[in-house]
Amino acid sequence: MSVLVVGSVALDTITTPFGKAKDILGGSATFSAVSASVFTPVDLVAVVGRDFPKKYINLLKNKGIDLTGLKKEKGKTFRWEGEYGWDFSNPKTIATDLNVFGKFDPIIPKAYRKNKIVFLANIDPEIQEKVLNQVDKPKIVACDTMNYWIETKRNQLLKLLKRVDICLVNEAEAKELVGETNLVKAGKKILKLGPPIVIIKKGEHGVLMFSQKHIFATPAYLLESVYDPTGAGDTFAGGFIGYLAKVKKYNQKSLREAVVYGSIMATFAVEDFSLRKLQKITAVDVRRRLNKFKKLTNF
Ligand code: AMP
């Protein structure tokens, strides 16, 4: 079963205590789509400018991602600049230049509309909703967002949350979204905004998943070398949604498994800048790391 992914395809400038990289491949849809492609075929909807390097298009093509929905418009590609201190949990946004995303009006290719699983990766909630309006009865709609949209497009985001099945946010976003300092309370409050499943990503501290009846908690796989946390959340989401598409089951068991697969995928994203490591990951690498994770958490 394929998945439809919409979000940003970006050129990022990232500073970490280990160094700085300029105009490297990034974007919420990029990380999500590449991650999901390890499990299932992916249809991508996004926009880039004329300055978007061909080598990055080839990278996406080589992962088998369908690019019919990737538009190339006059203007510059979306750019994000972020800086991490020694605490890798929250980047400081230095600049967000929407560029071609500022006027993006997505038209979903006909062949994409029948997708049963739709992932609205982090991008303007109005664009997320425009995509949702064009698909035929998807079974699962998941969405991500970030502080930028919580602060600048709160009402549009709240409207969108009423229409999704799964909301994925990180710890800081969860707290900001509902004005809460306790994560358990925040998870429950987000459930009340509409989505039946709420996933809160806690970086190196793991993940929480909330529904009316259950709370699931898992630690993260232990990594010793983290170079660039950019895209971890998006990579998690791609692995999560890709796994659900692969197993074609939507219940508490498959959701819990998907959370673990998503977490494993995220570990590959942070071990190098941009998608340098993630792009090389295969199902065999995922299986190996999953087995180590099982040993780590078994008791
Ligand atoms: P993550 O680290 O998983 O939260 O996502 C990082 C990615 O999100 C980067 O590669 C950025 O290009 C992208 N990004 C940053 N700000 C925004 C924004 N306001 N809208 C859409 N994508 C963004």
Side-chain angles (χ1 to χ4, degrees):
M1 189 191 282
S2 61
V3 296
L4 171 61
V5 173
V6 59
S8 58
V9 171
L11 295 174
D12 288 345
T13 295
I14 307 289
T15 306
T16 79
F18 302 112
K20 181 168 178 168
K22 194 172 178 328
D23 283 346
I24 50 175
L25 179 61
S28 57
T30 315
F31 284 103
S32 313
V34 169
S35 177
S37 74
V38 174
F39 301 91
T40 201
V42 178
D43 293 340
L44 180 68
V45 172
V47 63
V48 291
R50 299 242 168 102
D51 57 349
F52 192 69
K54 182 104 178 60
K55 63 177 178 186
Y56 294 153
I57 298 276
N58 289 340
L59 187 156
L60 296 170
K61 269 193 194 149
N62 290 340
K63 299 306 291 181
I65 296 167
D66 191 304
L67 299 181
T68 317
L70 179 67
K71 291 281 156 283
K72 201 170 213 183
E73 301 282 5
K74 206 170 145 199
K76 280 181 148 189
T77 300
F78 173 82
R79 275 174 173 73
W80 178 70
E81 180 168 359
E83 187 178 330
Y84 297 86
W86 287 105
D87 171 15
F88 266 177
S89 54
N90 246 325
K92 188 168 144 205
T93 293
I94 308 290
T96 301
D97 297 322
L98 292 179
N99 297 329
V100 287
F101 258 113
K103 287 197 232 118
F104 184 48
D105 195 4
I107 307 225
I108 309 303
K110 213 167 166 216
Y112 284 17
R113 294 184 192 176
K114 296 219 172 330
N115 271 295
K116 291 294 165 220
I117 303 190
V118 176
F119 178 51
L120 309 169
N122 172 33
I123 192 68
D124 185 336
E126 282 187 82
I127 296 181
Q128 292 175 313
E129 196 162 22
K130 276 183 182 165
V131 169
L132 200 48
N133 289 341
Q134 293 176 58
V135 287
D136 310 331
K137 295 205 174 102
K139 280 210 174 89
I140 309 172
V141 178
C143 85
D144 194 352
T145 191
M146 75 180 295
N147 53 358
Y148 186 81
W149 305 115
I150 295 172
E151 287 154 23
T152 60
K153 297 235 170 157
R154 185 175 176 82
N155 289 339
Q156 292 87 335
L157 179 61
L158 292 179
K159 193 166 154 240
L160 178 79
L161 287 180
K162 293 197 192 335
R163 299 183 58 190
V164 306
D165 303 288
I166 307 173
C167 167
L168 299 109
V169 277
N170 71 25
E171 202 171 338
E173 291 152 2
K175 289 174 177 172
E176 184 172 355
L177 181 59
V178 288
E180 184 54 70
T181 52
N182 179 281
L183 263 196
V184 183
K185 280 192 185 150
K188 290 180 179 173
K189 277 193 178 175
I190 302 173
L191 284 176
K192 288 199 182 127
L193 297 178
I197 307 281
V198 172
I199 294 178
I200 302 183
K201 301 159 285 177
K202 301 189 295 158
E204 62 185 316
H205 302 297
V207 184
L208 297 176
M209 177 168 65
F210 298 81
S211 59
Q212 284 304 337
K213 284 197 192 149
H214 305 272
I215 300 182
F216 173 59
T218 174
Y221 177 79
L222 293 184
L223 278 182
E224 286 190 50
S225 45
V226 176
Y227 287 104
D228 173 14
T230 310
D234 309 313
T235 309
F236 169 92
F240 172 84
I241 221 75
Y243 179 80
L244 288 177
K246 185 181 164 200
V247 296
K248 300 191 188 78
K249 285 196 183 108
Y250 190 58
N251 53 38
Q252 186 60 211
K253 181 173 180 287
S254 64
L255 281 164
R256 289 180 182 215
E257 288 164 0
V259 165
V260 172
Y261 275 90
S263 304
I264 297 288
M265 289 310 298
T267 62
F268 296 117
V270 302
E271 284 181 306
D272 204 338
F273 276 87
S274 184
L275 287 94
R276 283 179 204 158
K277 176 147 189 185
L278 184 66
Q279 63 176 296
K280 297 187 203 134
I281 296 307
T282 65
V284 176
D285 303 307
V286 179
R287 167 70 45 197
R288 264 194 217 123
R289 199 160 270 193
L290 185 77
N291 288 337
K292 289 189 187 163
F293 180 76
K294 281 185 183 162
K295 279 192 192 142
L296 179 75
T297 53
N298 186 36
F299 66 92

